[in-house]
Amino acid sequence: MRKFFYWLTAIFGGIVSLIWILRRRILGGLLGLPPVKNGVTVNRNLAITMRDGVTLMTDHYAPDTEGDFPTILIRSVYGRGYDAMPGGMGVIVFCERLAERGYHVIAQTTRGQFDSGGDFMPYIHEKEDGLDTIAWIQEQDWYNGTLGMFGMSYLGLVQWAIAGDAPDDLKAIVPTITSSHLRGLQYPDDAFALELSLRWVVTVAGTASGVVDSPPSRLETLQNTSNANVLVESAYDTLPLTDTDKKAIGQHAKFYQQWLATEGNPDDPYWQAADFRDQVARTKAKVHLIGGWYDIFLRDFLEDYQILVENGNPPYLTIGPWTHLSLEPLTNGLRESVAWFDAQLKGDTNAIRQYPVRIYVMGAEQWRNLPSYPPPSTATHYYLTADSGISQTPPADAEATSAYTYRPANPTLAIGGVLFNNTAGRIDNAPLEKRDDTLVFTSQAFNKNTDFIGKVSATLYVQSSSACTDFLVRISDVDPDGVSLNICDGLYRVTPENSVRQADGSLKITVDMWSTAYQLRAGHRLRVLIASGAHPRWARNTGSGEPHHTATTLIAQHQTIYHDAKHPSCVTLPVL
């Protein structure tokens, strides 16, 4: 028996040792990457001084063999090492995978985070710090004059911050699940993104300098997801909004208070400084954009794509059925990035696909390759009818209305869709559709598969008891069993300034419902849901007309939707 356990231990130890020796090849194979070319050496904790004297801590991953290799820069707000979990672990995985395939990789922790100096103010210092870091790279004796940038979310934003002003050395970038325009992230549809903003405050409050006066425990915030969820969710219903961060982390976060104080005004100096669309227009680097249909950045991400096209630098584009927190943008993004860098920095185009656009069509559940985005389509109207139906024929009724009351004290909740948590994406909408503060319109079953790819919108004729209110429109796919899965949605914030009344007192509004790629299959039905909120994705409209960040008075809002011959309310789909 003793001999048996001896051999069992020896065999197990041998297997573990073999896995450890082959770990790089195994991990690369699981990620679908090309074969490992070399080992990796790491020079950690290099201090790079910025123009204002602040020191940013940096690691250098290098191929452990002689040769001339391009460089890839990764600048991370979430740290870069084992002491910055879990974000730091992700950076390590990226750096090792790139370096072992023949790249120098510079991983830097951005200003005010973890061991880098200075105070953290989101987005504001990334242009100067990024350019100063490239200047340092250019001085290194191992640098061959060819540079790329890589990263997701905030790590993608920092690419846009310098893309137009970077030296010609910057040949390729891969901004993934990100955008260049941050006001649209914090104030989508001109309403404060409470869930996203508050969750991010909880994420960074314990790791950044200058955000709060006395940082809370990082273990309680960043490292413990369940605790972070409790902190965030406990604050959603707090009023005024200026107290929500204090409710979550015990004190005010300076940048969060600044976000609120601007009321989303696009002319505010803060949002002007965080708008890098001019960099997109001027970049000479070759760009591969990677995003998700349920990503928080999607709308502005697609605007970046259009800016590049209009300025003669058409990018590659990949969009999956992903949310912001999906793993697939990380794994697929790394695989696509290696192929992109090999092509643009080394001249090896073997792994580059033929068509520049690759999108996932939901409903059909298949990938499609296209020469450009969006593909040619016909704007097709689906009208709301008097019997809570949907028809492609304009309504003929002389009068037809539907009504509901929105009570911000018991707000309509956000279910699925574009959220910054693990409940985002496609989900059964039954709990939402059963509420008495929503309206539901459903078509007959489609008699053939119908594809729509591109921007979706709704035109509504509405009236409200409040001069300040919201209208949300969502479309869903109802399968033969009656399960309703959300496709896309959008919100319109009514204010006295943006409201033009019709002669009969109604308002005509157009709701931008973002974009999608979807196939409504034969036998399925289209559903339109109308509500006046999706709390806390968008902070609830109190209806009081008070400034939104300081409002505390909750007023019920009585809403009427017109859908008759004079008021042809409809959704418009880009049908192929």
Side-chain angles (χ1 to χ4, degrees):
M1 182 63 70
R2 184 179 299 173
K3 184 178 293 186
F4 170 77
F5 281 112
Y6 170 80
W7 283 110
L8 184 63
T9 302
I11 292 170
F12 179 75
I15 292 173
V16 171
S17 298
L18 182 61
I19 292 174
W20 177 254
I21 293 170
L22 299 176
R23 69 191 185 283
R24 297 185 186 276
R25 290 180 171 82
I26 292 172
L27 185 53
L30 291 174
L31 293 172
L33 300 176
V36 172
K37 295 182 178 179
N38 49 261
V40 177
T41 61
V42 186
N43 189 4
R44 300 192 187 278
N45 299 322
L46 303 172
I48 302 179
T49 302
M50 302 293 103
R51 66 188 67 182
D52 61 355
V54 169
T55 298
L56 304 187
M57 302 306 294
T58 306
D59 297 339
H60 175 205
Y61 293 72
D64 68 350
T65 185
E66 296 294 325
D68 184 36
F69 304 105
T71 300
I72 295 173
L73 172 61
I74 300 174
R75 303 190 63 246
S76 172
V77 72
Y78 303 113
R80 69 190 189 285
Y82 294 109
D83 60 336
M85 299 295 283
M89 184 64 199
V91 171
I92 291 172
V93 170
F94 296 147
C95 291
E96 289 181 345
R97 303 294 77 73
L98 291 165
E100 65 195 15
R101 286 161 180 82
Y103 292 95
H104 290 282
V105 185
I106 296 299
Q108 182 180 79
T109 300
T110 56
R111 178 181 295 248
Q113 283 286 2
F114 296 93
D115 56 351
S116 281
D119 286 341
F120 178 61
M121 177 57 72
Y123 324 135
I124 299 304
H125 298 286
E126 306 309 347
K127 178 181 177 179
E128 290 77 12
D129 289 352
L131 293 174
D132 289 353
T133 302
I134 290 178
W136 176 87
I137 291 172
Q138 291 176 314
E139 296 174 353
Q140 308 310 304
D141 56 11
W142 42 260
Y143 180 59
N144 77 346
T146 305
L147 178 68
M149 290 186 74
F150 169 81
M152 294 85 174
S153 194
Y154 200 103
L155 286 67
L157 159 79
V158 300
Q159 298 173 55
W160 284 134
I162 65 170
D165 290 330
D168 291 342
D169 299 23
L170 184 64
K171 305 294 185 184
I173 61 176
V174 188
T176 300
I177 52 173
T178 193
S179 77
S180 65
H181 181 207
L182 276 301
R183 186 258 179 189
L185 177 69
Q186 252 68 60
Y187 279 89
D189 306 289
D190 297 319
F192 186 58
L194 177 61
E195 188 260 349
L196 160 66
S197 301
L198 193 59
R199 191 173 294 277
W200 203 66
V201 164
V202 171
T203 298
V204 302
T207 64
S209 299
V211 172
V212 295
D213 293 330
S214 54
S217 165
R218 189 189 339 156
L219 177 65
E220 189 176 54
T221 55
L222 182 61
Q223 290 186 321
N224 191 315
T225 302
S226 60
N227 281 354
N229 285 336
V230 170
L231 290 173
V232 171
E233 291 169 7
S234 70
Y236 284 153
D237 293 334
T238 299
L239 288 177
L241 291 177
T242 49
D243 284 345
T244 50
D245 55 343
K246 187 173 183 180
K247 174 67 174 180
I249 61 175
Q251 53 192 304
H252 292 306
K254 296 175 184 177
F255 68 80
Y256 184 82
Q257 291 297 313
Q258 186 164 3
W259 289 351
L260 288 169
T262 68
E263 284 274 315
N265 178 5
D267 296 325
D268 186 89
Y270 179 86
W271 298 118
Q272 290 289 314
D275 186 345
F276 303 117
R277 283 175 291 188
D278 67 312
Q279 300 282 338
V280 180
R282 293 187 288 108
T283 185
K284 297 178 182 177
K286 296 300 181 182
V287 183
H288 189 156
L289 295 169
I290 301 174
W293 291 122
Y294 294 100
D295 180 36
I296 56 179
F297 287 98
L298 176 67
R299 181 160 53 194
D300 294 327
F301 166 89
L302 288 173
E303 182 184 357
D304 292 336
Y305 172 84
Q306 194 60 42
I307 292 173
L308 289 165
V309 170
E310 291 172 355
N311 284 275
N313 186 14
Y316 268 50
L317 176 70
T318 302
I319 309 180
W322 308 318
T323 71
H324 193 72
L325 299 182
S326 299
L327 288 177
E328 289 86 353
L330 307 182
T331 56
N332 286 27
L334 181 58
R335 183 166 59 250
E336 294 281 3
S337 297
V338 171
W340 192 246
F341 291 136
D342 284 351
Q344 307 302 332
L345 305 184
K346 295 181 178 180
D348 179 4
T349 60
N350 289 327
I352 289 292
R353 63 184 187 237
Q354 177 183 358
Y355 288 96
V357 175
R358 188 168 187 255
I359 61 174
Y360 190 87
V361 180
M362 300 173 290
E365 311 306 331
Q366 62 181 213
W367 287 95
R368 292 188 190 171
N369 297 318
L370 302 170
S372 62
Y373 176 89
S377 64
T378 299
T380 305
H381 305 307
Y382 292 86
Y383 297 94
L384 310 184
T385 64
D387 58 354
S388 298
I390 296 173
S391 173
Q392 285 187 255
T393 303
D397 306 271
E399 292 184 10
T401 62
S402 299
Y404 63 95
T405 298
Y406 174 66
R407 300 174 180 84
N410 179 27
T412 317
L413 300 177
I415 297 177
V418 179
L419 294 172
F420 190 48
N421 63 52
N422 291 325
T423 68
R426 282 184 281 180
I427 193 171
D428 185 354
N429 276 230
L432 191 61
E433 295 166 354
K434 292 176 181 177
R435 290 180 61 109
D436 64 3
D437 57 0
T438 65
L439 299 177
V440 175
F441 299 81
T442 308
S443 74
Q444 297 295 314
F446 278 46
N447 58 17
K448 63 178 181 180
N449 295 346
T450 301
D451 295 349
F452 45 97
I453 299 175
K455 288 186 177 181
V456 179
S457 65
T459 301
L460 296 183
Y461 294 84
V462 304
Q463 195 165 43
S464 175
S465 61
S466 175
C468 298
T469 192
D470 295 340
F471 288 96
L472 174 134
V473 183
R474 164 175 283 189
I475 58 170
S476 299
D477 173 2
V478 183
D479 70 16
D481 295 326
V483 177
S484 176
L485 300 179
N486 52 290
I487 300 172
C488 62
D489 52 25
L491 180 134
Y492 186 92
R493 173 146 288 185
V494 175
T495 67
E497 292 75 28
N498 70 0
S499 302
V500 178
R501 294 200 174 273
Q502 308 293 297
D504 62 1
S506 66
L507 300 175
K508 180 182 179 181
I509 64 173
T510 300
V511 183
D512 179 349
M513 297 172 64
W514 298 41
S515 298
T516 193
Y518 208 91
Q519 181 180 95
L520 203 67
R521 299 181 65 82
H524 289 228
R525 295 174 290 160
L526 176 68
R527 178 164 289 169
V528 175
L529 178 138
I530 299 174
S532 286
H535 184 72
R537 176 181 168 187
W538 291 278
R540 57 188 161 171
N541 196 323
T542 64
S544 66
E546 301 170 283
H548 290 288
H549 65 299
T550 57
T552 57
T553 305
L554 301 176
I555 296 177
Q557 298 147 51
H558 306 291
Q559 319 289 51
T560 300
I561 310 297
Y562 297 82
H563 42 90
D564 51 45
K566 292 183 178 180
H567 309 91
S569 293
C570 65
V571 295
T572 303
L573 306 182
V575 176
L576 272 61

